[in-house]
Amino acid sequence: MKTTSRSNIRIILFSTGLIFILLFLTMLISNWIIIIAVNAGILSGRPDTPLIPFLIQTGFISICIGVILTLTLGRFPLRPVNQLIHAIHAVAGGDFHTKIHLKHPKEFQELSDSFNQMTDELAGIEMLRSDFIDSFSHEFKTPIVSIMGFAKLLKNRELSEKEKEEYLDIIISESRRLSDLSSNVLNLSKVESMNVLTNTTRCNAAEQIRESILQLERKWEEKEIRFDIALEEEIITGRADLLKQIWVNLIDNAVKFSSSSGKISIRTMHDRRCFIFQISDSGVGMDEQTQKKIFDRFYQGDPSHATEGNGLGLSLVRRIVQLHNGTIETDSFPQRGSTFTVSIPQ
């Protein structure tokens, strides 16, 4: 508040000073021209001369001088404003790399820094949007092409029953992949548009986690995953449907990247008014570079895409955690598994 008041005072003093300078120069130059005009006989300044015509003539000279000075000197203080206007038009035209560098006065420098920060943010958003569209198109196109290809092969009447079953299984798998992708995109779009959580309730986190484990039973039974579970019965405040997505996505990831007959440890605890959920797997782990990108949309640590997934799960998890004013951290080493820790204030 004090900074704003000081800025307003500086602007008022600057404007007042500029007006004073213009008035002083107008008066000085006008008097000089009038004196020259009187000496040259263009104007009559004798005592017996009618006053009103003389005042009209001198007033007209003063007005002309004032207009000329305003147009001339006004360009200098307005130059930063003109730069800003041109920069705004450039940004409106889609050039998010536009920058302005205003040095004086201090308020213009702050305006310059804020404008450049804004264009940096807009450029980043535009890049994310472009990457999102490219990745989204690719992720959708791949299963669609696969479904079309195997559907055409099924029209061959010479196929054996075993081949038909194999092709149908692939079509079902790719259809499920499309369904999961569309669901994740819709969920991510929904939570990213939220700024404030509504319809919050008191939830039993331990019960939700147990339900999530049972929900993924088919997946972890196929890989003969063993669980080491230690849950403290904790009641937390939040959106029950969104919190459930955190547990499901993290447990699903742990199962996905664990080797057959692997082990997953799940712990919950209470620390400093925070509910803490921690899940560790014995999977392939991640290097430091991968850990920096795993929360980016469509990013997959497995470039070969040997494991199922579309790279949206962890983006969704992070956004939901942020909406609950929480944090999510990861600790991982190649071939030594990964640990994700979620902290949510109670």
Side-chain angles (χ1 to χ4, degrees):
M1 192 70 179
K2 290 182 178 179
T3 303
T4 304
S5 299
R6 289 174 182 173
S7 298
N8 291 337
I9 291 172
R10 289 195 192 100
I11 292 172
I12 292 171
L13 290 175
F14 177 77
S15 303
T16 305
L18 181 62
I19 293 171
F20 176 79
I21 292 171
L22 285 173
L23 289 174
F24 178 77
L25 289 176
T26 300
M27 181 183 67
L28 188 66
I29 297 173
S30 297
N31 288 336
W32 178 66
I33 291 176
I34 290 169
I35 291 172
I36 293 175
V38 169
N39 291 333
I42 299 173
L43 292 178
S44 178
R46 291 176 299 177
D48 57 343
T49 303
L51 184 61
I52 292 178
F54 179 78
L55 291 176
I56 292 174
Q57 292 172 334
T58 55
F60 178 76
I61 292 173
S62 298
I63 291 172
C64 292
I65 297 300
V67 170
I68 293 171
L69 285 175
T70 301
L71 293 176
T72 303
L73 299 179
R75 292 182 180 180
F76 296 100
L78 290 178
R79 186 176 297 172
V81 178
N82 290 329
Q83 289 183 27
L84 179 61
I85 291 172
H86 289 307
I88 290 173
H89 285 315
V91 172
D95 183 5
F96 300 129
H97 297 287
T98 303
K99 294 289 182 291
I100 56 176
H101 303 283
L102 308 177
K103 299 299 182 183
H104 302 287
K106 183 180 178 181
E107 287 71 26
F108 281 171
Q109 184 178 355
E110 292 176 359
L111 175 64
S112 175
D113 294 340
S114 299
F115 181 88
N116 293 338
Q117 183 179 355
M118 178 193 72
T119 55
D120 286 339
E121 292 290 334
L122 288 173
I125 292 171
E126 177 63 19
M127 185 178 297
L128 282 175
R129 185 191 69 83
S130 178
D131 291 344
F132 178 84
I133 292 174
D134 291 343
S135 300
F136 184 80
S137 301
H138 172 76
E139 292 292 335
F140 252 86
K141 183 179 179 180
T142 302
I144 289 174
V145 170
S146 180
I147 291 171
M148 288 178 60
F150 285 102
K152 288 179 181 179
L153 289 175
L154 283 173
K155 296 179 70 175
N156 186 351
R157 297 179 181 179
E158 297 180 0
L159 288 176
S160 64
E161 287 299 320
K162 183 178 179 181
E163 288 174 322
K164 289 181 181 179
E165 290 292 330
E166 181 183 349
Y167 295 165
L168 283 171
D169 286 341
I170 293 174
I171 290 174
I172 292 170
S173 175
E174 293 297 279
S175 299
R176 186 183 299 116
R177 181 179 166 189
L178 272 178
S179 176
D180 292 342
L181 176 59
S182 59
S183 297
N184 279 335
V185 168
L186 288 173
N187 288 333
L188 184 59
S189 175
K190 181 175 70 174
V191 299
E192 286 195 336
S193 64
M194 291 183 183
N195 291 317
V196 179
L197 281 176
T198 56
N199 302 323
T200 57
T201 57
R202 300 284 286 169
C203 312
N204 187 327
E207 185 62 30
Q208 280 194 332
I209 293 166
R210 284 190 286 265
E211 290 175 359
S212 302
I213 294 172
L214 290 175
Q215 183 177 328
L216 299 167
E217 183 177 6
R218 180 185 61 83
K219 292 187 176 182
W220 53 261
E221 276 193 341
E222 286 178 357
K223 300 183 75 170
E224 299 180 347
I225 300 293
R226 294 175 292 113
F227 280 90
D228 176 20
I229 302 173
L231 305 180
E232 292 185 12
E233 299 297 325
E234 292 285 349
I235 304 298
I236 59 177
T237 301
R239 276 279 296 268
D241 55 333
L242 297 182
L243 289 170
K244 184 74 174 292
Q245 291 186 54
I246 295 176
W247 325 132
V248 169
N249 274 288
L250 290 177
I251 296 170
D252 186 35
N253 258 18
V255 172
K256 186 189 306 178
F257 291 103
S258 291
S259 56
S260 296
S261 302
K263 179 182 177 181
I264 295 175
S265 298
I266 298 177
R267 298 279 185 275
T268 64
M269 60 203 80
H270 182 270
D271 180 44
R272 296 180 183 178
R273 296 184 179 180
C274 283
F275 168 76
I276 298 175
F277 169 85
Q278 191 172 78
I279 181 167
S280 303
D281 62 61
S282 55
V284 296
M286 297 175 285
D287 57 26
E288 187 175 346
Q289 191 66 25
T290 302
Q291 292 181 59
K292 292 179 181 178
K293 298 181 179 180
I294 54 173
F295 294 106
D296 295 345
R297 297 172 187 160
F298 289 106
Y299 181 79
Q300 291 179 269
D302 177 18
S304 66
H305 297 273
T307 55
E308 292 184 5
N310 45 56
L312 289 175
L314 288 177
S315 298
L316 181 62
V317 167
R318 182 177 63 173
R319 180 56 184 157
I320 295 173
V321 170
Q322 289 173 344
L323 284 172
H324 286 82
N325 298 317
T327 60
I328 180 169
E329 298 175 353
T330 179
D331 184 24
S332 182
F333 295 94
Q335 308 307 320
R336 291 171 57 183
S338 303
T339 297
F340 287 87
T341 304
V342 175
S343 298
I344 297 178
Q346 288 184 286

